[in-house]
Amino acid sequence: HSLPGPTQLIVNISDFLRNPSQGGAMVAAVVMSVVIFKYLKRTNDKVRRFYDKNILKVPIIGDVIQKSTLSKIAMIQGNLAAAGVSVIEALDIISNTITNTMYTDAFKIVREGVSSGNQLSALYASCPIFPPTFYQMLAVGEETGKMDEMFEATAQYYEEEFDMSVEHLTEALEPIMIVGMGLTVGFIIVAMYMPIFQMGKMVG
């Protein structure tokens, strides 16, 4: 008699993974794909822009990246403003520390606007990648003349938002991982015991 379907599936998967020409080739292909993608992301501008644009659209993960980046921007700009560094120099420094091209492109627009004498908050508002809360808080700093304090408050606000986003990501992943592991373990247990039950029926 042939093995039950689930048991046969486990055996086939095991044979596939242990076979160097099958499982080994699949692992090698996955590793090579990751290496090639990382290389293209580092060297090809179109690939990097495609990744940077779409990673921000991924639910929860994009939110985590955005909050982290905004907190970093406000923190650095606040520290540089407190140290007496000019706005243009500060923007150049921040642009070199941010890796996502969507933000570096926005900083080019902001820098050009600052050079023309426009308000910083208005320039941030002109770039869709910056949320209203970010530039509205900066506008308050411009009105009160306490930009370094407002940058610090903005950094703290987005740091707290980042912590909440990470917590939401963890909460979303936990049940998925638990259910996935439960289904996998349950399937393996069923596959292991089905031949025993089948033999019991035949003996009976």
mmCIF file of all heavy atoms in Angstrom, residues 87-140:
data_model
loop_
_atom_site.group_PDB
_atom_site.id
_atom_site.type_symbol
_atom_site.label_atom_id
_atom_site.label_comp_id
_atom_site.label_asym_id
_atom_site.label_seq_id
_atom_site.Cartn_x
_atom_site.Cartn_y
_atom_site.Cartn_z
ATOM 1 N N VAL A 87 21.244 76.352 8.264
ATOM 2 C CA VAL A 87 20.193 75.433 7.811
ATOM 3 C C VAL A 87 20.647 74.660 6.576
ATOM 4 O O VAL A 87 20.424 73.448 6.474
ATOM 5 C CB VAL A 87 18.885 76.205 7.510
ATOM 6 C CG1 VAL A 87 17.832 75.266 6.931
ATOM 7 C CG2 VAL A 87 18.359 76.869 8.759
ATOM 8 N N ILE A 88 21.291 75.344 5.627
ATOM 9 C CA ILE A 88 21.727 74.684 4.390
ATOM 10 C C ILE A 88 22.770 73.601 4.692
ATOM 11 O O ILE A 88 22.699 72.489 4.163
ATOM 12 C CB ILE A 88 22.294 75.722 3.396
ATOM 13 C CG1 ILE A 88 21.153 76.610 2.892
ATOM 14 C CG2 ILE A 88 22.979 75.023 2.228
ATOM 15 C CD1 ILE A 88 21.582 77.694 1.932
ATOM 16 N N GLU A 89 23.729 73.916 5.550
ATOM 17 C CA GLU A 89 24.735 72.923 5.935
ATOM 18 C C GLU A 89 24.077 71.737 6.639
ATOM 19 O O GLU A 89 24.444 70.580 6.403
ATOM 20 C CB GLU A 89 25.774 73.552 6.854
ATOM 21 C CG GLU A 89 26.787 74.452 6.163
ATOM 22 C CD GLU A 89 27.829 74.975 7.140
ATOM 23 O OE1 GLU A 89 28.780 74.222 7.441
ATOM 24 O OE2 GLU A 89 27.679 76.114 7.619
ATOM 25 N N ALA A 90 23.118 72.041 7.508
ATOM 26 C CA ALA A 90 22.412 70.981 8.237
ATOM 27 C C ALA A 90 21.670 70.061 7.269
ATOM 28 O O ALA A 90 21.700 68.831 7.412
ATOM 29 C CB ALA A 90 21.433 71.591 9.233
ATOM 30 N N LEU A 91 21.030 70.651 6.257
ATOM 31 C CA LEU A 91 20.305 69.852 5.269
ATOM 32 C C LEU A 91 21.258 68.962 4.473
ATOM 33 O O LEU A 91 20.922 67.823 4.146
ATOM 34 C CB LEU A 91 19.519 70.766 4.326
ATOM 35 C CG LEU A 91 18.330 71.514 4.946
ATOM 36 C CD1 LEU A 91 17.765 72.528 3.961
ATOM 37 C CD2 LEU A 91 17.234 70.548 5.383
ATOM 38 N N ASP A 92 22.431 69.482 4.158
ATOM 39 C CA ASP A 92 23.436 68.688 3.437
ATOM 40 C C ASP A 92 23.893 67.496 4.279
ATOM 41 O O ASP A 92 24.042 66.382 3.771
ATOM 42 C CB ASP A 92 24.645 69.557 3.075
ATOM 43 C CG ASP A 92 24.340 70.531 1.939
ATOM 44 O OD1 ASP A 92 23.403 70.246 1.168
ATOM 45 O OD2 ASP A 92 25.033 71.554 1.829
ATOM 46 N N ILE A 93 24.127 67.759 5.560
ATOM 47 C CA ILE A 93 24.579 66.700 6.468
ATOM 48 C C ILE A 93 23.511 65.621 6.612
ATOM 49 O O ILE A 93 23.797 64.421 6.534
ATOM 50 C CB ILE A 93 24.940 67.289 7.851
ATOM 51 C CG1 ILE A 93 26.182 68.173 7.736
ATOM 52 C CG2 ILE A 93 25.177 66.171 8.876
ATOM 53 C CD1 ILE A 93 26.474 68.985 8.976
ATOM 54 N N ILE A 94 22.261 66.047 6.802
ATOM 55 C CA ILE A 94 21.154 65.095 6.965
ATOM 56 C C ILE A 94 20.965 64.276 5.694
ATOM 57 O O ILE A 94 20.764 63.059 5.743
ATOM 58 C CB ILE A 94 19.851 65.823 7.319
ATOM 59 C CG1 ILE A 94 19.975 66.498 8.686
ATOM 60 C CG2 ILE A 94 18.669 64.851 7.344
ATOM 61 C CD1 ILE A 94 18.853 67.456 9.008
ATOM 62 N N SER A 95 21.053 64.942 4.547
ATOM 63 C CA SER A 95 20.881 64.257 3.262
ATOM 64 C C SER A 95 21.895 63.140 3.083
ATOM 65 O O SER A 95 21.593 62.103 2.470
ATOM 66 C CB SER A 95 21.004 65.270 2.120
ATOM 67 O OG SER A 95 20.777 64.635 0.876
ATOM 68 N N ASN A 96 23.090 63.329 3.632
ATOM 69 C CA ASN A 96 24.139 62.312 3.522
ATOM 70 C C ASN A 96 23.955 61.165 4.518
ATOM 71 O O ASN A 96 24.582 60.112 4.364
ATOM 72 C CB ASN A 96 25.515 62.950 3.732
ATOM 73 C CG ASN A 96 25.913 63.856 2.583
ATOM 74 O OD1 ASN A 96 25.548 63.607 1.445
ATOM 75 N ND2 ASN A 96 26.646 64.920 2.880
ATOM 76 N N THR A 97 23.125 61.371 5.536
ATOM 77 C CA THR A 97 22.902 60.317 6.539
ATOM 78 C C THR A 97 21.649 59.493 6.247
ATOM 79 O O THR A 97 21.498 58.403 6.785
ATOM 80 C CB THR A 97 22.783 60.919 7.951
ATOM 81 O OG1 THR A 97 21.657 61.808 8.001
ATOM 82 C CG2 THR A 97 24.034 61.695 8.328
ATOM 83 N N ILE A 98 20.742 60.021 5.409
ATOM 84 C CA ILE A 98 19.504 59.317 5.076
ATOM 85 C C ILE A 98 19.742 58.446 3.846
ATOM 86 O O ILE A 98 20.260 58.922 2.832
ATOM 87 C CB ILE A 98 18.355 60.318 4.797
ATOM 88 C CG1 ILE A 98 18.123 61.225 6.012
ATOM 89 C CG2 ILE A 98 17.075 59.574 4.439
ATOM 90 C CD1 ILE A 98 17.740 60.509 7.270
ATOM 91 N N THR A 99 19.375 57.186 3.919
ATOM 92 C CA THR A 99 19.647 56.254 2.826
ATOM 93 C C THR A 99 18.501 56.142 1.822
ATOM 94 O O THR A 99 18.730 55.800 0.663
ATOM 95 C CB THR A 99 19.938 54.844 3.379
ATOM 96 O OG1 THR A 99 18.840 54.423 4.197
ATOM 97 C CG2 THR A 99 21.206 54.856 4.222
ATOM 98 N N ASN A 100 17.265 56.438 2.241
ATOM 99 C CA ASN A 100 16.117 56.296 1.340
ATOM 100 C C ASN A 100 16.108 57.444 0.327
ATOM 101 O O ASN A 100 16.078 58.623 0.708
ATOM 102 C CB ASN A 100 14.814 56.277 2.147
ATOM 103 C CG ASN A 100 13.615 55.893 1.297
ATOM 104 O OD1 ASN A 100 13.214 56.618 0.406
ATOM 105 N ND2 ASN A 100 13.035 54.738 1.585
ATOM 106 N N THR A 101 16.125 57.115 -0.969
ATOM 107 C CA THR A 101 16.225 58.127 -2.017
ATOM 108 C C THR A 101 14.997 59.035 -2.087
ATOM 109 O O THR A 101 15.086 60.157 -2.588
ATOM 110 C CB THR A 101 16.429 57.466 -3.396
ATOM 111 O OG1 THR A 101 15.406 56.474 -3.605
ATOM 112 C CG2 THR A 101 17.778 56.797 -3.479
ATOM 113 N N MET A 102 13.837 58.572 -1.589
ATOM 114 C CA MET A 102 12.651 59.425 -1.580
ATOM 115 C C MET A 102 12.865 60.628 -0.665
ATOM 116 O O MET A 102 12.418 61.740 -0.958
ATOM 117 C CB MET A 102 11.417 58.625 -1.109
ATOM 118 C CG MET A 102 11.050 57.443 -1.987
ATOM 119 S SD MET A 102 10.577 57.901 -3.680
ATOM 120 C CE MET A 102 12.088 57.477 -4.572
ATOM 121 N N TYR A 103 13.573 60.415 0.417
ATOM 122 C CA TYR A 103 13.869 61.509 1.356
ATOM 123 C C TYR A 103 15.026 62.371 0.850
ATOM 124 O O TYR A 103 14.993 63.592 0.996
ATOM 125 C CB TYR A 103 14.180 60.948 2.745
ATOM 126 C CG TYR A 103 12.951 60.500 3.495
ATOM 127 C CD1 TYR A 103 12.591 59.160 3.531
ATOM 128 C CD2 TYR A 103 12.131 61.419 4.146
ATOM 129 C CE1 TYR A 103 11.448 58.739 4.202
ATOM 130 C CE2 TYR A 103 10.992 61.007 4.815
ATOM 131 C CZ TYR A 103 10.656 59.669 4.841
ATOM 132 O OH TYR A 103 9.510 59.264 5.508
ATOM 133 N N THR A 104 16.034 61.750 0.256
ATOM 134 C CA THR A 104 17.159 62.548 -0.256
ATOM 135 C C THR A 104 16.708 63.453 -1.402
ATOM 136 O O THR A 104 17.185 64.589 -1.524
ATOM 137 C CB THR A 104 18.316 61.648 -0.719
ATOM 138 O OG1 THR A 104 17.827 60.679 -1.662
ATOM 139 C CG2 THR A 104 18.943 60.916 0.458
ATOM 140 N N ASP A 105 15.778 62.969 -2.238
ATOM 141 C CA ASP A 105 15.217 63.801 -3.303
ATOM 142 C C ASP A 105 14.459 64.990 -2.712
ATOM 143 O O ASP A 105 14.550 66.116 -3.209
ATOM 144 C CB ASP A 105 14.270 62.983 -4.185
ATOM 145 C CG ASP A 105 15.007 62.000 -5.080
ATOM 146 O OD1 ASP A 105 16.241 62.107 -5.194
ATOM 147 O OD2 ASP A 105 14.345 61.112 -5.644
ATOM 148 N N ALA A 106 13.717 64.723 -1.652
ATOM 149 C CA ALA A 106 12.952 65.792 -0.993
ATOM 150 C C ALA A 106 13.894 66.838 -0.395
ATOM 151 O O ALA A 106 13.621 68.042 -0.455
ATOM 152 C CB ALA A 106 12.056 65.199 0.090
ATOM 153 N N PHE A 107 15.016 66.376 0.151
ATOM 154 C CA PHE A 107 15.966 67.315 0.752
ATOM 155 C C PHE A 107 16.609 68.230 -0.289
ATOM 156 O O PHE A 107 16.967 69.365 0.012
ATOM 157 C CB PHE A 107 17.038 66.560 1.546
ATOM 158 C CG PHE A 107 16.657 66.334 2.968
ATOM 159 C CD1 PHE A 107 16.281 65.086 3.416
ATOM 160 C CD2 PHE A 107 16.634 67.385 3.880
ATOM 161 C CE1 PHE A 107 15.899 64.877 4.737
ATOM 162 C CE2 PHE A 107 16.268 67.196 5.194
ATOM 163 C CZ PHE A 107 15.895 65.936 5.620
ATOM 164 N N LYS A 108 16.751 67.745 -1.512
ATOM 165 C CA LYS A 108 17.276 68.598 -2.583
ATOM 166 C C LYS A 108 16.311 69.762 -2.847
ATOM 167 O O LYS A 108 16.732 70.911 -3.029
ATOM 168 C CB LYS A 108 17.471 67.776 -3.857
ATOM 169 C CG LYS A 108 18.609 66.772 -3.775
ATOM 170 C CD LYS A 108 18.695 65.938 -5.036
ATOM 171 C CE LYS A 108 19.771 64.853 -4.926
ATOM 172 N NZ LYS A 108 19.805 63.968 -6.106
ATOM 173 N N ILE A 109 15.006 69.445 -2.853
ATOM 174 C CA ILE A 109 13.982 70.481 -3.074
ATOM 175 C C ILE A 109 13.986 71.477 -1.924
ATOM 176 O O ILE A 109 13.929 72.701 -2.126
ATOM 177 C CB ILE A 109 12.589 69.827 -3.222
ATOM 178 C CG1 ILE A 109 12.550 68.920 -4.455
ATOM 179 C CG2 ILE A 109 11.492 70.889 -3.290
ATOM 180 C CD1 ILE A 109 11.302 68.076 -4.568
ATOM 181 N N VAL A 110 14.052 70.950 -0.688
ATOM 182 C CA VAL A 110 14.054 71.808 0.497
ATOM 183 C C VAL A 110 15.294 72.709 0.498
ATOM 184 O O VAL A 110 15.206 73.902 0.781
ATOM 185 C CB VAL A 110 14.000 70.961 1.789
ATOM 186 C CG1 VAL A 110 14.168 71.838 3.020
ATOM 187 C CG2 VAL A 110 12.688 70.184 1.866
ATOM 188 N N ARG A 111 16.437 72.143 0.174
ATOM 189 C CA ARG A 111 17.689 72.913 0.173
ATOM 190 C C ARG A 111 17.627 74.055 -0.832
ATOM 191 O O ARG A 111 18.037 75.190 -0.550
ATOM 192 C CB ARG A 111 18.872 72.001 -0.141
ATOM 193 C CG ARG A 111 20.227 72.663 0.081
ATOM 194 C CD ARG A 111 21.366 71.825 -0.467
ATOM 195 N NE ARG A 111 22.659 72.383 -0.149
ATOM 196 C CZ ARG A 111 23.176 73.462 -0.740
ATOM 197 N NH1 ARG A 111 22.474 74.107 -1.667
ATOM 198 N NH2 ARG A 111 24.374 73.917 -0.397
ATOM 199 N N GLU A 112 17.127 73.760 -2.036
ATOM 200 C CA GLU A 112 17.015 74.799 -3.067
ATOM 201 C C GLU A 112 16.071 75.907 -2.614
ATOM 202 O O GLU A 112 16.324 77.089 -2.859
ATOM 203 C CB GLU A 112 16.505 74.180 -4.374
ATOM 204 C CG GLU A 112 17.527 73.279 -5.066
ATOM 205 C CD GLU A 112 16.949 72.555 -6.265
ATOM 206 O OE1 GLU A 112 15.772 72.825 -6.610
ATOM 207 O OE2 GLU A 112 17.656 71.722 -6.851
ATOM 208 N N GLY A 113 14.996 75.512 -1.925
ATOM 209 C CA GLY A 113 14.037 76.496 -1.443
ATOM 210 C C GLY A 113 14.612 77.379 -0.354
ATOM 211 O O GLY A 113 14.358 78.589 -0.313
ATOM 212 N N VAL A 114 15.390 76.778 0.547
ATOM 213 C CA VAL A 114 16.039 77.546 1.625
ATOM 214 C C VAL A 114 17.017 78.549 1.029
ATOM 215 O O VAL A 114 17.105 79.702 1.484
ATOM 216 C CB VAL A 114 16.762 76.597 2.609
ATOM 217 C CG1 VAL A 114 17.640 77.400 3.571
ATOM 218 C CG2 VAL A 114 15.752 75.778 3.396
ATOM 219 N N SER A 115 17.738 78.141 0.003
ATOM 220 C CA SER A 115 18.683 79.043 -0.673
ATOM 221 C C SER A 115 17.963 80.238 -1.294
ATOM 222 O O SER A 115 18.543 81.322 -1.430
ATOM 223 C CB SER A 115 19.460 78.290 -1.763
ATOM 224 O OG SER A 115 20.173 77.206 -1.221
ATOM 225 N N SER A 116 16.689 80.028 -1.665
ATOM 226 C CA SER A 116 15.894 81.109 -2.259
ATOM 227 C C SER A 116 15.196 81.963 -1.207
ATOM 228 O O SER A 116 14.495 82.923 -1.548
ATOM 229 C CB SER A 116 14.850 80.521 -3.217
ATOM 230 O OG SER A 116 15.475 79.750 -4.227
ATOM 231 N N GLY A 117 15.355 81.571 0.063
ATOM 232 C CA GLY A 117 14.792 82.374 1.149
ATOM 233 C C GLY A 117 13.416 81.955 1.624
ATOM 234 O O GLY A 117 12.754 82.703 2.359
ATOM 235 N N ASN A 118 12.954 80.769 1.232
ATOM 236 C CA ASN A 118 11.632 80.300 1.666
ATOM 237 C C ASN A 118 11.691 79.711 3.076
ATOM 238 O O ASN A 118 12.757 79.295 3.547
ATOM 239 C CB ASN A 118 11.105 79.237 0.697
ATOM 240 C CG ASN A 118 10.856 79.804 -0.694
ATOM 241 O OD1 ASN A 118 10.336 80.904 -0.834
ATOM 242 N ND2 ASN A 118 11.249 79.057 -1.707
ATOM 243 N N GLN A 119 10.522 79.686 3.729
ATOM 244 C CA GLN A 119 10.453 79.125 5.077
ATOM 245 C C GLN A 119 10.634 77.612 5.036
ATOM 246 O O GLN A 119 10.125 76.931 4.145
ATOM 247 C CB GLN A 119 9.108 79.463 5.735
ATOM 248 C CG GLN A 119 9.067 80.834 6.391
ATOM 249 C CD GLN A 119 7.856 80.950 7.304
ATOM 250 O OE1 GLN A 119 6.770 80.480 6.974
ATOM 251 N NE2 GLN A 119 8.037 81.572 8.458
ATOM 252 N N LEU A 120 11.348 77.091 6.045
ATOM 253 C CA LEU A 120 11.654 75.670 6.096
ATOM 254 C C LEU A 120 10.390 74.822 6.194
ATOM 255 O O LEU A 120 10.243 73.819 5.497
ATOM 256 C CB LEU A 120 12.581 75.389 7.290
ATOM 257 C CG LEU A 120 13.190 73.980 7.379
ATOM 258 C CD1 LEU A 120 14.050 73.689 6.157
ATOM 259 C CD2 LEU A 120 14.019 73.846 8.651
ATOM 260 N N SER A 121 9.459 75.233 7.061
ATOM 261 C CA SER A 121 8.224 74.451 7.250
ATOM 262 C C SER A 121 7.403 74.398 5.972
ATOM 263 O O SER A 121 6.816 73.357 5.636
ATOM 264 C CB SER A 121 7.389 75.043 8.389
ATOM 265 O OG SER A 121 7.028 76.382 8.101
ATOM 266 N N ALA A 122 7.364 75.515 5.225
ATOM 267 C CA ALA A 122 6.605 75.561 3.968
ATOM 268 C C ALA A 122 7.240 74.643 2.927
ATOM 269 O O ALA A 122 6.542 74.005 2.134
ATOM 270 C CB ALA A 122 6.542 76.986 3.449
ATOM 271 N N LEU A 123 8.566 74.566 2.934
ATOM 272 C CA LEU A 123 9.271 73.700 1.987
ATOM 273 C C LEU A 123 9.038 72.233 2.308
ATOM 274 O O LEU A 123 8.835 71.419 1.401
ATOM 275 C CB LEU A 123 10.771 74.021 2.020
ATOM 276 C CG LEU A 123 11.156 75.397 1.471
ATOM 277 C CD1 LEU A 123 12.590 75.739 1.823
ATOM 278 C CD2 LEU A 123 10.966 75.433 -0.042
ATOM 279 N N TYR A 124 9.054 71.901 3.602
ATOM 280 C CA TYR A 124 8.733 70.530 3.998
ATOM 281 C C TYR A 124 7.285 70.188 3.615
ATOM 282 O O TYR A 124 6.992 69.069 3.193
ATOM 283 C CB TYR A 124 8.919 70.343 5.506
ATOM 284 C CG TYR A 124 10.341 70.059 5.935
ATOM 285 C CD1 TYR A 124 10.972 70.832 6.908
ATOM 286 C CD2 TYR A 124 11.059 69.011 5.376
ATOM 287 C CE1 TYR A 124 12.283 70.569 7.306
ATOM 288 C CE2 TYR A 124 12.360 68.740 5.759
ATOM 289 C CZ TYR A 124 12.972 69.527 6.721
ATOM 290 O OH TYR A 124 14.261 69.258 7.102
ATOM 291 N N ALA A 125 6.400 71.177 3.746
ATOM 292 C CA ALA A 125 4.984 70.965 3.410
ATOM 293 C C ALA A 125 4.796 70.718 1.913
ATOM 294 O O ALA A 125 3.842 70.044 1.503
ATOM 295 C CB ALA A 125 4.158 72.169 3.847
ATOM 296 N N SER A 126 5.717 71.256 1.093
ATOM 297 C CA SER A 126 5.599 71.085 -0.363
ATOM 298 C C SER A 126 6.023 69.688 -0.816
ATOM 299 O O SER A 126 5.794 69.318 -1.960
ATOM 300 C CB SER A 126 6.449 72.142 -1.082
ATOM 301 O OG SER A 126 7.834 71.895 -0.865
ATOM 302 N N CYS A 127 6.657 68.936 0.065
ATOM 303 C CA CYS A 127 7.102 67.569 -0.261
ATOM 304 C C CYS A 127 6.121 66.570 0.353
ATOM 305 O O CYS A 127 6.036 66.467 1.586
ATOM 306 C CB CYS A 127 8.507 67.315 0.266
ATOM 307 S SG CYS A 127 9.745 68.445 -0.380
ATOM 308 N N PRO A 128 5.368 65.825 -0.474
ATOM 309 C CA PRO A 128 4.339 64.899 0.037
ATOM 310 C C PRO A 128 4.851 63.838 1.005
ATOM 311 O O PRO A 128 4.073 63.284 1.781
ATOM 312 C CB PRO A 128 3.795 64.243 -1.239
ATOM 313 C CG PRO A 128 4.152 65.188 -2.344
ATOM 314 C CD PRO A 128 5.447 65.827 -1.938
ATOM 315 N N ILE A 129 6.148 63.554 0.967
ATOM 316 C CA ILE A 129 6.685 62.484 1.805
ATOM 317 C C ILE A 129 6.703 62.865 3.282
ATOM 318 O O ILE A 129 6.762 62.013 4.163
ATOM 319 C CB ILE A 129 8.104 62.088 1.332
ATOM 320 C CG1 ILE A 129 8.469 60.702 1.868
ATOM 321 C CG2 ILE A 129 9.148 63.135 1.735
ATOM 322 C CD1 ILE A 129 9.665 60.072 1.221
ATOM 323 N N PHE A 130 6.630 64.181 3.579
ATOM 324 C CA PHE A 130 6.614 64.630 4.970
ATOM 325 C C PHE A 130 5.171 64.818 5.433
ATOM 326 O O PHE A 130 4.416 65.557 4.799
ATOM 327 C CB PHE A 130 7.391 65.949 5.122
ATOM 328 C CG PHE A 130 8.857 65.820 4.838
ATOM 329 C CD1 PHE A 130 9.401 66.300 3.655
ATOM 330 C CD2 PHE A 130 9.696 65.201 5.751
ATOM 331 C CE1 PHE A 130 10.744 66.173 3.385
ATOM 332 C CE2 PHE A 130 11.054 65.067 5.489
ATOM 333 C CZ PHE A 130 11.578 65.552 4.300
ATOM 334 N N PRO A 131 4.764 64.187 6.530
ATOM 335 C CA PRO A 131 3.388 64.289 7.029
ATOM 336 C C PRO A 131 3.110 65.671 7.624
ATOM 337 O O PRO A 131 4.041 66.371 8.058
ATOM 338 C CB PRO A 131 3.314 63.202 8.102
ATOM 339 C CG PRO A 131 4.724 63.037 8.567
ATOM 340 C CD PRO A 131 5.589 63.295 7.378
ATOM 341 N N PRO A 132 1.836 66.085 7.678
ATOM 342 C CA PRO A 132 1.477 67.414 8.200
ATOM 343 C C PRO A 132 2.003 67.684 9.605
ATOM 344 O O PRO A 132 2.442 68.806 9.890
ATOM 345 C CB PRO A 132 -0.050 67.390 8.176
ATOM 346 C CG PRO A 132 -0.395 66.418 7.096
ATOM 347 C CD PRO A 132 0.665 65.369 7.156
ATOM 348 N N THR A 133 1.950 66.687 10.483
ATOM 349 C CA THR A 133 2.407 66.895 11.868
ATOM 350 C C THR A 133 3.848 67.377 11.902
ATOM 351 O O THR A 133 4.208 68.241 12.710
ATOM 352 C CB THR A 133 2.289 65.583 12.679
ATOM 353 O OG1 THR A 133 0.968 65.083 12.568
ATOM 354 C CG2 THR A 133 2.620 65.830 14.142
ATOM 355 N N PHE A 134 4.681 66.845 11.010
ATOM 356 C CA PHE A 134 6.107 67.179 10.992
ATOM 357 C C PHE A 134 6.316 68.659 10.698
ATOM 358 O O PHE A 134 6.963 69.372 11.475
ATOM 359 C CB PHE A 134 6.824 66.316 9.957
ATOM 360 C CG PHE A 134 8.312 66.495 9.927
ATOM 361 C CD1 PHE A 134 9.116 65.867 10.858
ATOM 362 C CD2 PHE A 134 8.914 67.295 8.963
ATOM 363 C CE1 PHE A 134 10.492 66.026 10.846
ATOM 364 C CE2 PHE A 134 10.282 67.466 8.934
ATOM 365 C CZ PHE A 134 11.081 66.828 9.880
ATOM 366 N N TYR A 135 5.747 69.136 9.582
ATOM 367 C CA TYR A 135 6.007 70.533 9.215
ATOM 368 C C TYR A 135 5.164 71.531 10.017
ATOM 369 O O TYR A 135 5.542 72.694 10.168
ATOM 370 C CB TYR A 135 5.863 70.767 7.709
ATOM 371 C CG TYR A 135 4.560 70.346 7.068
ATOM 372 C CD1 TYR A 135 3.401 71.088 7.206
ATOM 373 C CD2 TYR A 135 4.505 69.191 6.280
ATOM 374 C CE1 TYR A 135 2.220 70.705 6.594
ATOM 375 C CE2 TYR A 135 3.333 68.801 5.667
ATOM 376 C CZ TYR A 135 2.188 69.564 5.811
ATOM 377 O OH TYR A 135 1.018 69.168 5.209
ATOM 378 N N GLN A 136 4.036 71.088 10.566
ATOM 379 C CA GLN A 136 3.251 71.989 11.415
ATOM 380 C C GLN A 136 3.974 72.287 12.723
ATOM 381 O O GLN A 136 3.932 73.416 13.223
ATOM 382 C CB GLN A 136 1.877 71.376 11.679
ATOM 383 C CG GLN A 136 0.937 71.430 10.475
ATOM 384 C CD GLN A 136 -0.317 70.589 10.650
ATOM 385 O OE1 GLN A 136 -0.519 69.972 11.699
ATOM 386 N NE2 GLN A 136 -1.163 70.563 9.633
ATOM 387 N N MET A 137 4.642 71.265 13.276
ATOM 388 C CA MET A 137 5.416 71.485 14.498
ATOM 389 C C MET A 137 6.597 72.423 14.228
ATOM 390 O O MET A 137 6.932 73.282 15.052
ATOM 391 C CB MET A 137 5.929 70.147 15.052
ATOM 392 C CG MET A 137 4.821 69.246 15.586
ATOM 393 S SD MET A 137 5.420 67.663 16.231
ATOM 394 C CE MET A 137 6.142 68.174 17.802
ATOM 395 N N LEU A 138 7.211 72.285 13.049
ATOM 396 C CA LEU A 138 8.310 73.177 12.689
ATOM 397 C C LEU A 138 7.818 74.605 12.477
ATOM 398 O O LEU A 138 8.526 75.570 12.786
ATOM 399 C CB LEU A 138 9.013 72.669 11.419
ATOM 400 C CG LEU A 138 9.636 71.276 11.479
ATOM 401 C CD1 LEU A 138 10.452 71.009 10.226
ATOM 402 C CD2 LEU A 138 10.515 71.121 12.715
ATOM 403 N N ALA A 139 6.602 74.738 11.952
ATOM 404 C CA ALA A 139 6.031 76.071 11.744
ATOM 405 C C ALA A 139 5.857 76.793 13.083
ATOM 406 O O ALA A 139 6.078 78.011 13.176
ATOM 407 C CB ALA A 139 4.687 75.955 11.026
ATOM 408 N N VAL A 140 5.483 76.046 14.115
ATOM 409 C CA VAL A 140 5.358 76.625 15.462
ATOM 410 C C VAL A 140 6.724 77.106 15.932
ATOM 411 O O VAL A 140 6.852 78.191 16.524
ATOM 412 C CB VAL A 140 4.783 75.589 16.450
ATOM 413 C CG1 VAL A 140 4.806 76.138 17.871
ATOM 414 C CG2 VAL A 140 3.368 75.195 16.049
#
